[in-house]
Amino acid sequence: MSHTATKAQRLQLDGGTLLRQLKELGEIGADSEVGGRTRIALTDAEKAGRDLVAHWMRELELEVVIDRIGNLFGILRSEADDGTQAPLMMGSHIDSVTNAGALDGCYGVLAGLAVARAYREAGIAPSRTIMVGAFTNEEGIRYQPDMMGSLVYAGGLSVQEALDTVGTDGTRLGDELTRIGYAGTLEPGAIVPHEYVELHIEQGPILEAEGIQIGVVENLQGISWQQVSIQGNANHAGTTPTHLRHDAGFVAAAIVTFLRQLAQDSGGTTLATVGCLSVQPNVINVIPRRATLTVDLRDPDEQRLKLAERRFAEFLETVAQQEGVTVTTERSARFEPVVFDAGLVDSVEASANRLGFTNRRMTSGAGHDAQMIARIAPAAMIFVPSQGGISHNPREHTDDDQLIMGAEVLLDVVLHRLGQAQA
Ligand code: HGY
Ligand code: MN
Ligand code: MN
């Protein structure tokens, strides 16, 4: 579809194309048995997703640019842009967790393209260049930390360090990036956004529970990720008295129980998750000699998050001594809570009100690329409800009309920020 300049008309959202693209992208990496899709960063499935999004960017005649960590951008320049104008950036990610929903990340990228499409189809140039990004490895489940592409873009991690990251599967990130053909040349961060707005599903229960249409995201909680390894002794399940055991499996279970209690003791502000857990040799009649697990701690308050980390470290010391095992930890991600730009948050709220959508200010429980771009530019987020508060699950769902509402808010925010609001 080419875009010859047509007479200037109203800028309006093409919701049908947005919904169609969400569905089409959602089919890439589809899991037949479990349902959902798996498009883990830098795998062939994610490459296929990247190729499709880049194709849609080219269809809109956007400049397609890839940076050295594989962040993929589509740029629609303003007439005043001599190549140095700081763009209004939108975006998110298209990599997914395992057995994921179709909306996490993809919604923000494709809604950004829908804003560019509104300009294209009205034959109107944006007064400021707009740039839509699909950031590399937001989920961080193969290569850590998460939000890696946007973290590198914001200068929080060197390109080389990121490229040299070894994944949970033993691959080197840079090799995989080259293999899928997305090792770009743009220096990450070379184009500093004037501001950044990310549209995302809430992935939590609040908006639906309160019957509210739009989340005006003011801040985002802190995240602490650790890999924990427990070294005990294998021994015979039938001959080893309990008091003589150095049972790595028991210690792993004790950690899971301790973390649940730690979260409950916080009154609900601290969240703790053990997402990965494995024991070796993992056979029925051998006391586990080794256990490895991951710990994800979150809290909107940095001091409480630090307290949770401290209490957990003290527990590990005590249980290691009690059980005669060795416990080692390795930090794999640590991000402080982020407060978004007040002016931009006000704009999101004003747009939701202007469009007549109920809305409330809220904290993001999930990590997002916006928290990284907030290091280099004013940033804010828009949420739409998640059905049942479910996400990172094939059952992740937001109704079509809710998806359209969120994209209308994004378009309205952009138009007002660019001084191109329509009467
Ligand atoms: O972990 C997170 O919150 C995000 O989904 N990467
Ligand atoms: Mn996401
Ligand atoms: Mn996610």
Side-chain angles (χ1 to χ4, degrees):
M1 170 182 22
S2 77
H3 284 276
T4 47
T6 52
K7 73 175 177 39
Q9 304 148 5
R10 281 186 67 78
L11 280 131
Q12 51 194 21
L13 186 82
D14 174 356
T17 301
L18 170 59
L19 296 175
R20 261 195 314 281
Q21 290 189 342
L22 277 169
K23 192 169 172 331
E24 190 173 341
L25 182 52
E27 281 152 17
I28 295 186
D31 300 320
S32 43
E33 317 82 66
V34 185
R37 67 285 305 147
T38 299
R39 266 195 322 271
I40 291 172
L42 311 187
T43 58
D44 292 342
E46 202 235 353
K47 169 187 167 42
R50 286 167 170 264
D51 292 348
L52 184 58
V53 170
H55 164 69
W56 285 332
M57 287 176 171
R58 290 191 181 94
E59 247 188 3
L60 286 168
E61 293 176 59
L62 305 183
E63 256 174 83
V64 177
V65 173
I66 301 165
D67 75 9
R68 290 181 56 211
I69 196 62
N71 294 319
L72 168 65
F73 299 106
I75 302 174
L76 175 57
R77 290 204 187 277
S78 72
E79 286 163 354
D81 187 357
D82 60 358
T84 63
Q85 190 182 61
L88 182 149
M89 188 185 275
M90 297 167 278
S92 194
H93 61 96
I94 66 159
D95 66 305
S96 78
V97 295
T98 306
N99 305 134
L103 302 172
D104 179 358
C106 302
Y107 178 44
V109 174
L110 297 181
L113 292 189
V115 170
R117 185 172 301 108
Y119 273 96
R120 275 292 190 223
E121 289 178 353
I124 296 171
S127 62
R128 172 179 293 283
T129 292
I130 56 178
M131 188 167 172
V132 182
F135 290 103
T136 295
N137 188 33
E138 191 276 347
E139 294 294 1
I141 60 174
R142 182 184 185 193
Y143 304 101
Q144 289 164 6
D146 57 349
M147 286 77 73
M148 187 190 273
S150 47
L151 177 65
V152 169
Y153 199 85
L157 178 68
S158 77
V159 178
Q160 200 50 53
E161 224 178 319
L163 293 173
D164 290 338
T165 303
V166 175
T168 51
D169 55 2
T171 58
R172 178 180 168 274
L173 187 145
D175 299 343
E176 284 292 276
L177 198 57
T178 306
R179 184 185 68 80
I180 67 166
Y182 278 88
T185 52
L186 177 76
E187 204 51 44
I191 304 174
V192 180
H194 185 256
E195 51 202 336
Y196 176 81
V197 189
E198 179 167 352
L199 175 59
H200 205 288
I201 52 172
E202 178 201 340
Q203 302 181 286
I206 296 168
L207 291 175
E208 182 184 64
E210 297 181 6
I212 290 179
Q213 292 165 319
I214 296 291
V216 179
V217 187
E218 292 183 296
N219 64 323
L220 192 149
Q221 64 180 344
I223 301 175
S224 161
W225 280 6
Q226 297 177 62
Q227 312 281 338
V228 178
S229 305
I230 305 152
Q231 187 64 43
N233 284 344
N235 215 325
H236 194 297
T239 60
T240 314
T242 303
H243 71 283
L244 294 180
R245 293 183 179 212
H246 303 291
D247 182 343
F250 169 79
V251 173
I255 286 171
V256 173
T257 309
F258 171 82
L259 287 172
R260 169 58 67 88
Q261 193 57 53
L262 179 138
Q264 282 170 333
D265 293 351
S266 77
T269 58
T270 303
L271 296 176
T273 309
V274 174
C276 310
L277 198 165
S278 65
V279 294
Q280 290 84 30
N282 199 33
V283 294
I284 187 166
N285 58 0
V286 177
I287 300 166
R289 68 165 171 274
R290 184 169 167 71
T292 53
L293 54 92
T294 58
V295 175
D296 176 323
L297 293 171
R298 313 232 182 166
D299 195 301
D301 177 90
E302 176 62 11
Q303 296 318 312
R304 284 199 306 254
L305 186 55
K306 279 194 176 127
L307 175 64
E309 289 174 319
R310 209 167 37 251
R311 285 191 53 204
F312 179 55
E314 287 161 3
F315 169 75
L316 291 181
E317 254 181 61
T318 309
V319 74
Q321 208 179 12
Q322 280 169 351
E323 299 300 322
V325 300
T326 308
V327 178
T328 53
T329 61
E330 187 190 338
R331 173 169 281 180
S332 54
R334 180 61 165 92
F335 302 123
E336 295 194 5
V338 166
V339 177
F340 289 130
D341 176 80
L344 205 41
V345 171
D346 289 348
S347 293
V348 170
E349 187 172 59
S351 287
N353 287 327
R354 206 172 9 255
L355 293 169
F357 301 150
T358 54
N359 60 85
R360 62 157 282 174
R361 290 176 175 239
M362 62 195 295
T363 298
S364 172
H368 297 289
D369 294 307
Q371 73 189 88
M372 302 307 175
I373 305 301
R375 298 180 181 205
I376 56 173
M381 293 190 74
I382 307 163
F383 276 174
V384 292
S386 291
Q387 195 171 75
I390 294 169
S391 184
H392 284 188
N393 178 319
R395 290 179 26 237
E396 179 181 278
H397 178 82
T398 299
D399 292 344
D400 287 354
D401 61 327
Q402 295 171 319
L403 292 170
I404 301 289
M405 273 182 221
E408 294 285 9
V409 172
L410 180 67
L411 176 58
D412 192 80
V413 168
V414 171
L415 291 177
H416 278 79
R417 299 297 291 191
L418 266 46
Q420 291 179 292
Q422 304 168 110

